[in-house]
């Protein structure tokens, strides 16, 4: 206690402030300032403000600041730093604004260090950009402290390229700054850049590596699965005396685990005398990601027995996110365990559980957990939306995305990539354009994955021109981007364009993958490019040493079969080095239907019935082949087998969007409110088509009905009803787009050509295999589908 009779000097008061260990002591010292007339001394008040900030007494510090009539720059800087250090970032920014608007003081490096720290914590890139611009205008030196704060800011707002530019401009760099670069690239998933910076740091000799340097680079090596360089890091740790540091050992455990060296990871774990929670979590995660869940559970038991308490990271480490197949019971047990320990509501735990449930196709469990989560993080929204998309529940995915729009969570590129995939599956161009517009208006930072998803969406929604435009303006393309564009051209039957893109890809230096060759072969099959397809298949094996998979063989069978070379296709199947799969025989059977070859069809169907006896599609194909040959007794026999086996054919349906509202039609559908108008329009079209020479294709219709009935049966196919509805619901000249869930039949294909000519409309049809663009009585497929 300070006596009232005692009159301390200015120096003594400064010492009292510096030595204070509690807020009450500071309060007493402040009283002495007031009594002895030092409460207007800026140096002492600044020191007191700094100490109050250290004790998180920010309201007190702010009141003290306001008591000074003309604060100097040092006092402003002290309070700004206090606000930033105590995570009151908005207050720090407001104080800076007050400084600029209401004083003549000129901010210095320390001002901008605090401001950059506040911008980082606030995660508002606009404030940070403005701050950086003002620093340049004020000629603020990019020293170690301000430069380091700027680097940290750019990493936190996901602008690693800008962070690197600032880093390169800093004249003198220390170990802390180098470490910030290494860890910043890791946090932004720029793993190769992180390793490159580490190499530069080591090579420059500018400053010494420390244990934190090694710890920061290890996650990058783990993600890249670069075990060779990881062993080099381990050698450096031994050389510099960091190997026995528990956190370095923990980083090495994660590295070896992710590189599949679980036994080496186990040996490193045993090097730790008293493993802490982080080390246990790393080892448990190692067991889990290597498919050794039993080892993970045993280690958890040992951990609990040692007295360690679990946290959310422990639970996440246990959850078999990477290898969920066959682990539903384990996932249920982990779910129950997390409820018992009260961590199920933690965002990382619920997100991991949601991810596993969706990958196990347990959507109801995932949705229930998601709905019950009190705090829905961005990651949990992404996991639920992505899970629905990947399991084909596109409508639920889009519904969730709309819910997310009204929540306080903003989507990121991962969210948008998932929802664009849902739009592509649905073939909904209007919905895809809406999402694209959200990306533009919300200024969602684009990346190569988002751009690729946009290209894929436009291609699969029928707008191949827009897909190509986006592709051409994309500065950075990876193999997936090229594959998507090649596949898009294949979907639209533009095989020559697909081959051109493939050649451009090779010239760009991007190495083609198995998916690349599959996309090119697919494009060749839909364009009748037999010779080109054969050359590409041979090149894949000969030049790129890639082993063909089932899909490659099926594509080659399709190429030969569509071209009518059925004997060659059968020969190709018989001399394959692997046993023929159902996909190959099914492809051959489909080709037999096109070219009316019952002999080979019988061979293919026999193999299919052995491999997939319950697939109704094979029976339907064979029945249609017999009907086309007017072998009605055999067709009836096949249909009888279907009845006996109680198999059900997938009903054909067609979707059309009018004013962004989807409408679905089935064959003979009369459920629409405008049914009378639709059928009236169809009758008028049919009459005009017959006048123009159209003849109904009734070969594959049931043989035991009259010809007139056959015509009526094919007349009311779902795609014709959808087109008629589109014609009466849109302005003349408007493009009509429909989506059919099955392959478009010959009669509807011919009819659509006539309709496009008679109505002067462009009609785009997406069926189960490809796109058909009808215009002026012609189809883009050239009747080759």
């Amino acid at each position: 206690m300070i006596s009232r009779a005692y009159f301390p000097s200015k120096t003594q008061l400064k010492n009292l402030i510096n030595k204070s260990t509690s807020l009450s002591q500071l309060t007493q010292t402040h009283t002495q300032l007031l009594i002895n007339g030092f409460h207007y001394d800026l140096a002492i008040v600044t020191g007191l403000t700094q100490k109050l900030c250290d004790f998180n007494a920010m309201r007190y510090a702010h009141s003290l600041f306001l008591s000074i009539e003309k604060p100097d720059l040092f006092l402003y800087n002290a309070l700004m730093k206090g606000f930033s250090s105590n995570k009151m970032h908005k207050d720090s920014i407001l104080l800076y604004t007050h400084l600029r608007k209401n004083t003549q003081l000129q901010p210095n490096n320390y001002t901008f260090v605090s401001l950059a720290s506040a911008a980082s914590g606030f995660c508002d890139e606009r404030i940070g950009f403005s701050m950086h611009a003002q620093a340049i205008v004020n000629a603020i030196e990019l020293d170690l402290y301000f430069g380091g704060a700027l680097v940290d800011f750019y990493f936190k707002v996901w602008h690693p390229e800008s962070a690197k530019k600032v880093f390169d401009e800093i004249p003198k760099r220390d170990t802390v700054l180098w470490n910030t670069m290494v860890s910043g690239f890791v946090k932004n998933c720029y793993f190769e850049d992180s390793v490159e910076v580490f190499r530069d740091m080591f090579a420059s000799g500018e400053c010494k590596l420390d244990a934190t340097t090694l710890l920061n680079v290890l996650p990058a090596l783990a993600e890249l699965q670069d075990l060779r360089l990881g062993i080099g890091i381990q050698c450096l740790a031994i050389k510099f005396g960091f190997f026995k540091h528990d956190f370095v050992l923990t980083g090495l455990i994660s590295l070896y685990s992710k590189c599949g060296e679980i036994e080496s990871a186990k040996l490193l774990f045993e090097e730790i005398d008293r493993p802490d929670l982080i080390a246990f979590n790393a080892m448990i995660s190692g067991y889990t990601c290597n498919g050794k869940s039993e080892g993970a559970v045993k280690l958890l038991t040992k951990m609990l027995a040692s007295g360690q308490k679990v946290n959310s990271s422990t639970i996440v480490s246990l959850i078999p996110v990477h290898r969920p197949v066959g682990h539903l019971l384990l996932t249920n047990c982990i779910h129950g365990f997390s409820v018992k320990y009260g961590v199920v509501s933690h965002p990382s735990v619920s997100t991991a559980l949601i991810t596993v449930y969706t990958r196990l196709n347990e959507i109801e469990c995932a949705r229930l957990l998601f709905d019950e989560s009190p705090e829905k993080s961005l990651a949990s929204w992404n996991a639920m939306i992505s899970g629905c998309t990947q399991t084909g529940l596109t409508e639920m995915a889009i519904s969730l995305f709309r819910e997310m729009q009204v929540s306080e969570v903003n989507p990121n590129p991962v969210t948008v990539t998932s929802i664009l995939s849902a739009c592509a599956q649905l073939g909904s161009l209007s919905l895809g354009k809406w999402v694209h517009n959200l990306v533009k208006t919300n200024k969602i930072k684009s990346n190569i994955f988002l751009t690729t998803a946009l290209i894929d969406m436009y291609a699969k929604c029928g707008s191949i021109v827009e897909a190509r435009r986006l592709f051409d303006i994309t500065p950075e393309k990876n193999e997936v981007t090229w594959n998507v564009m090649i596949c898009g051209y294949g979907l639209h039957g533009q095989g020559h364009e697909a081959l051109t893109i493939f050649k451009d890809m090779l010239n760009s230096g991007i190495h083609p993958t198995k998916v690349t060759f599959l996309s090119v072969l697919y494009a060749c099959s839909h364009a009748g490019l037999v010779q080109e397809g054969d050359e590409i298949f041979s090149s894949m094996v000969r030049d790129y040493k890639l082993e063909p998979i089932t899909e490659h063989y099926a594509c080659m069978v399709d190429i030969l079969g569509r071209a009518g070379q059925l004997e060659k296709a059968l020969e190709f199947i018989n001399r394959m080095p692997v046993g023929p799969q159902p996909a190959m025989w099914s492809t051959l059977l489909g080709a037999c239907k096109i070219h009316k070859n019952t002999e080979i069809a019988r061979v293919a169907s026999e193999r299919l019935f052995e491999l997939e006896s319950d697939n109704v599609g094979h029976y339907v194909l064979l029945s249609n082949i017999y009907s086309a040959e007017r072998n009605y007794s055999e067709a009836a026999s096949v249909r009888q087998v279907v009845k006996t086996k109680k198999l059900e054919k997938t009903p054909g349906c067609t979707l059309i969007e009018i004013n962004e509202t989807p409408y679905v039609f089935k064959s003979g559908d009369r459920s629409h409110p405008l049914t009378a108008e639709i059928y009236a329009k169809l009758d008028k079209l049919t009459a005009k088509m017959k006048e123009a020479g159209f003849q109904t294709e009734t070969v594959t219709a049931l043989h035991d009905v009259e010809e007139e009935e056959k015509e009526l049966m094919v007349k009311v196919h779902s795609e014709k009803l959808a087109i008629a509805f589109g014609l009466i619901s849109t302005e003349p000249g408007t493009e009509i787009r429909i989506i059919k869930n099955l392959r478009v039949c010959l009669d509807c294909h011919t009819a659509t050509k006539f309709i496009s000519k008679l109505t002067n409309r462009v009609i785009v049809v997406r069926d189960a295999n490809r796109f058909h663009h009808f215009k002026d009585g012609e189809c883009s497929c050239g009747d080759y589908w």
Side-chain angles (χ1 to χ4, degrees):
M1 186 75 180
I2 302 172
S3 170
R4 286 183 176 275
Y6 176 64
F7 298 100
S9 67
K10 181 175 179 179
T11 302
Q12 289 173 322
L13 284 171
K14 284 184 176 181
N15 288 334
L16 282 172
I17 291 170
N18 292 332
K19 292 179 180 179
S20 295
T21 58
S22 67
L23 185 59
S24 62
Q25 289 180 0
L26 279 178
T27 305
Q28 292 179 54
T29 305
H30 188 196
T31 303
Q32 287 299 315
L33 295 183
L34 295 170
I35 292 171
N36 291 284
F38 289 110
H39 53 291
Y40 291 123
D41 188 299
L42 285 173
I44 291 181
V45 170
T46 300
L48 180 58
T49 301
Q50 290 173 328
K51 202 67 177 178
L52 286 169
C53 292
D54 291 342
F55 287 115
N56 196 21
M58 295 311 302
R59 184 174 294 180
Y60 193 163
H62 193 206
S63 297
L64 181 62
F65 173 85
L66 293 175
S67 69
I68 304 300
E69 185 177 351
K70 289 187 177 181
D72 63 2
L73 186 61
F74 294 102
L75 184 53
Y76 268 102
N77 287 348
L79 188 58
M80 280 184 64
K81 182 181 178 182
F83 279 136
S84 297
S85 300
N86 287 283
K87 298 182 179 180
M88 299 174 68
H89 309 297
K90 186 176 180 180
D91 295 275
S92 183
I93 293 165
L94 289 173
L95 186 61
Y96 171 78
T97 305
H98 178 80
L99 166 69
R100 297 306 301 263
K101 286 185 176 180
N102 300 296
T103 75
Q104 298 298 315
L105 298 172
Q106 291 298 314
N108 60 12
N109 281 57
Y110 295 103
T111 315
F112 281 101
V113 168
S114 297
L115 187 58
S117 177
S120 296
F122 208 53
C123 283
D124 190 324
E125 60 181 36
R126 294 171 299 176
I127 292 173
F129 292 158
S130 175
M131 170 269 299
H132 192 181
Q134 288 182 36
I136 293 171
V137 170
N138 286 312
I140 299 298
E141 181 187 355
L142 204 61
D143 63 10
L144 193 60
Y145 303 104
F146 178 48
L150 262 182
V151 166
D152 183 59
F153 158 72
Y154 279 118
F155 276 128
K156 284 184 177 175
V157 295
W158 305 96
H159 282 274
E161 297 88 354
S162 299
K164 183 66 167 63
K165 286 179 182 178
V166 172
F167 175 79
D168 289 339
E169 292 173 9
I170 300 173
K172 189 176 180 181
R173 297 169 286 209
D174 64 359
T175 301
V176 174
L177 183 58
W178 279 101
N179 289 349
T180 300
M181 286 299 296
V182 175
S183 64
F185 274 128
V186 170
K187 290 171 184 175
N188 280 258
C189 299
Y190 280 57
F191 305 116
E192 292 178 352
D193 296 86
S194 177
V195 174
E196 190 63 31
V197 168
F198 173 79
R199 289 182 190 274
D200 292 343
M201 178 184 182
F202 187 73
S204 69
E206 189 174 4
C207 49
K208 290 183 178 180
L209 307 176
D210 61 11
T212 304
T213 314
L214 303 186
L215 179 66
N216 288 341
V217 77
L218 282 171
L221 299 175
E223 292 298 328
L224 295 170
Q225 297 185 354
D226 190 339
L227 185 58
R228 183 179 179 182
L229 186 54
I231 292 172
I233 298 295
Q234 185 177 348
C235 293
L236 283 175
I238 295 170
K239 179 180 178 180
F240 292 123
F242 305 140
F243 181 68
K244 285 295 183 179
H245 289 207
D246 288 356
F247 54 86
V248 173
L249 282 169
T250 302
L252 286 168
I253 289 167
S254 296
L255 167 71
Y256 277 99
S257 297
K258 289 192 176 180
C259 291
E261 298 289 336
I262 191 64
E263 291 303 319
S264 298
K266 185 180 177 183
L267 290 173
L268 287 166
F269 180 75
E270 291 169 354
E271 288 283 330
I272 304 175
D273 293 330
R274 293 183 179 178
D276 61 6
L277 182 59
I278 298 172
F280 269 112
N281 289 349
M283 194 65 233
I284 290 170
S285 176
Y287 278 123
T288 302
C289 70
N290 281 277
K292 297 184 179 295
S293 294
E294 186 178 345
V297 173
K298 283 182 179 178
L299 187 57
L300 174 69
T301 306
K302 180 181 177 181
M303 172 184 161
L304 294 172
S306 71
Q308 284 277 8
K309 291 185 178 180
V310 302
N311 65 2
S312 58
S313 296
T314 315
I315 304 298
V316 172
S317 299
L318 269 175
I319 299 170
V321 174
H322 302 290
R323 300 187 182 187
V325 178
H327 289 306
L328 178 58
L329 179 60
L330 174 63
T331 304
N332 289 335
C333 291
I334 296 170
H335 190 171
F337 183 80
S338 61
V339 171
K340 179 181 177 181
Y341 277 84
V343 293
V344 72
S345 59
H346 194 282
S348 63
V349 175
S350 58
T351 300
L353 285 169
I354 288 166
T355 302
V356 174
Y357 278 133
T358 55
R359 289 179 181 177
L360 290 169
N361 206 24
E362 295 289 332
I363 298 297
E364 289 184 10
C365 294
R367 185 63 195 264
L368 182 63
L369 180 58
F370 177 79
D371 290 339
E372 290 178 349
S373 299
E375 182 185 348
K376 295 180 177 65
S377 65
L378 175 61
S380 63
W381 279 103
N382 286 349
M384 195 66 235
I385 291 171
S386 174
C388 290
T389 301
Q390 290 169 8
T391 51
L393 298 173
T394 50
E395 292 182 1
M396 184 186 289
I398 291 164
S399 175
L400 281 164
F401 183 68
R402 292 187 187 277
E403 286 180 38
M404 186 183 184
Q405 293 295 295
V406 297
S407 74
E408 295 181 356
V409 180
N410 293 320
N412 69 352
V414 176
T415 325
V416 177
T417 300
S418 294
I419 208 65
L420 284 170
S421 177
C423 296
Q425 288 181 44
L426 275 177
S428 177
L429 184 60
S430 61
L431 194 60
K433 286 181 175 179
W434 171 68
V435 175
H436 192 183
N437 189 55
L438 282 177
V439 172
K440 295 174 183 175
T441 54
N442 293 351
K443 296 182 179 178
I444 297 173
K445 183 173 170 56
S446 184
N447 57 32
I448 192 168
F449 308 106
L450 176 53
T451 305
T452 300
L454 278 167
I455 295 167
D456 186 52
M457 181 275 293
Y458 276 111
K460 289 179 179 175
C461 290
S463 187
I464 192 67
V465 173
E466 180 62 17
R468 181 59 190 267
R469 188 190 70 79
L470 284 173
F471 178 83
D472 287 340
I473 63 173
T474 302
E476 181 188 0
K477 301 179 182 74
N478 61 13
E479 66 272 14
V480 180
T481 315
W482 288 97
N483 292 348
V484 161
M485 197 66 241
I486 293 167
C487 187
Y489 275 127
L491 268 174
H492 291 264
Q494 299 181 27
H496 291 288
E497 289 80 356
L499 288 174
T500 300
I501 290 287
F502 177 60
K503 289 174 184 175
D504 291 343
M505 176 184 181
L506 298 181
N507 292 332
S508 74
I510 299 288
H511 196 77
T513 63
K514 288 186 178 182
V515 176
T516 311
F517 283 103
L518 186 61
S519 300
V520 180
L521 290 172
Y522 176 85
C524 290
S525 72
H526 282 279
L529 303 176
V530 180
Q531 183 179 345
E532 292 85 346
D534 186 57
E535 289 173 356
I536 286 166
F537 183 85
S538 300
S539 174
M540 177 181 72
V541 179
R542 181 187 64 247
D543 303 328
Y544 295 93
K545 312 301 181 190
L546 294 174
E547 189 70 26
I549 58 176
T550 301
E551 288 78 5
H552 293 110
Y553 289 116
C555 265
M556 280 307 299
V557 173
D558 195 35
I559 288 171
L560 295 169
R562 284 177 187 272
Q565 300 180 23
L566 299 176
E567 289 79 9
K568 281 189 177 181
L570 182 58
E571 182 185 344
F572 181 84
I573 291 175
N574 290 331
R575 58 183 172 86
M576 286 191 316
V578 296
Q581 298 298 309
M584 296 145 193
W585 292 116
S586 179
T587 299
L588 183 59
L589 185 61
C592 290
K593 178 180 180 292
I594 296 170
H595 298 286
K596 299 179 175 61
N597 189 316
T598 54
E599 184 180 345
I600 294 179
R602 191 175 291 107
V603 174
S605 61
E606 285 175 0
R607 299 294 182 273
L608 279 170
F609 298 155
E610 290 172 6
L611 296 167
E612 289 184 336
S613 60
D614 292 334
N615 189 324
V616 68
H618 306 326
Y619 295 94
V620 172
L621 262 178
L622 185 59
S623 173
N624 287 342
I625 290 169
Y626 284 133
S627 294
E629 289 290 306
R630 301 191 180 277
N631 190 345
Y632 296 123
S633 60
E634 288 291 344
S637 176
V638 173
R639 288 199 301 273
Q640 185 57 46
V641 173
V642 172
K643 289 180 182 178
T644 304
K645 285 179 168 286
K646 296 182 179 179
L647 303 177
E648 292 186 3
K649 178 188 173 184
T650 303
C653 61
T654 301
L655 179 143
I656 183 172
E657 278 191 359
I658 302 294
N659 297 325
E660 300 185 8
T661 302
Y663 298 90
V664 178
F665 291 88
K666 295 179 181 178
S667 184
D669 203 331
R670 290 186 173 273
S671 61
H672 197 279
L674 297 178
T675 292
E677 291 88 337
I678 292 169
Y679 276 83
K681 183 66 174 178
L682 196 54
D683 287 338
K684 287 181 181 179
L685 282 172
T686 303
K688 287 183 178 180
M689 286 192 296
K690 286 185 175 180
E691 287 177 9
F694 171 71
Q695 290 185 334
T696 305
E697 172 60 55
T698 61
V699 173
T700 58
L702 295 176
H703 74 279
D704 51 356
V705 295
E706 296 296 327
E707 192 67 25
E708 188 176 335
E709 289 184 68
K710 289 183 183 181
E711 289 194 16
L712 185 60
M713 289 166 62
V714 294
K715 173 186 173 181
V716 292
H717 277 185
S718 60
E719 47 264 68
K720 290 178 183 172
L721 294 174
I723 291 171
F725 175 60
L727 289 170
I728 66 172
S729 303
T730 58
E731 294 295 323
T734 306
E735 183 177 276
I736 294 175
R737 293 172 174 268
I738 65 171
I739 301 170
K740 176 76 185 285
N741 67 328
L742 304 175
R743 180 180 180 273
V744 64
C745 74
L746 176 60
D747 182 74
C748 288
H749 189 271
T750 306
T752 308
K753 289 198 293 183
F754 274 88
I755 293 171
S756 70
K757 178 74 172 177
L758 292 169
T759 61
N760 197 27
R761 297 277 194 124
V762 173
I763 303 173
V764 181
V765 179
R766 171 178 151 179
D767 70 6
N769 295 328
R770 58 168 295 158
F771 278 92
H772 302 262
H773 295 258
F774 296 91
K775 183 179 180 182
D776 297 327
E778 300 292 334
C779 180
S780 60
C781 74
D783 298 335
Y784 191 89
W785 88 104

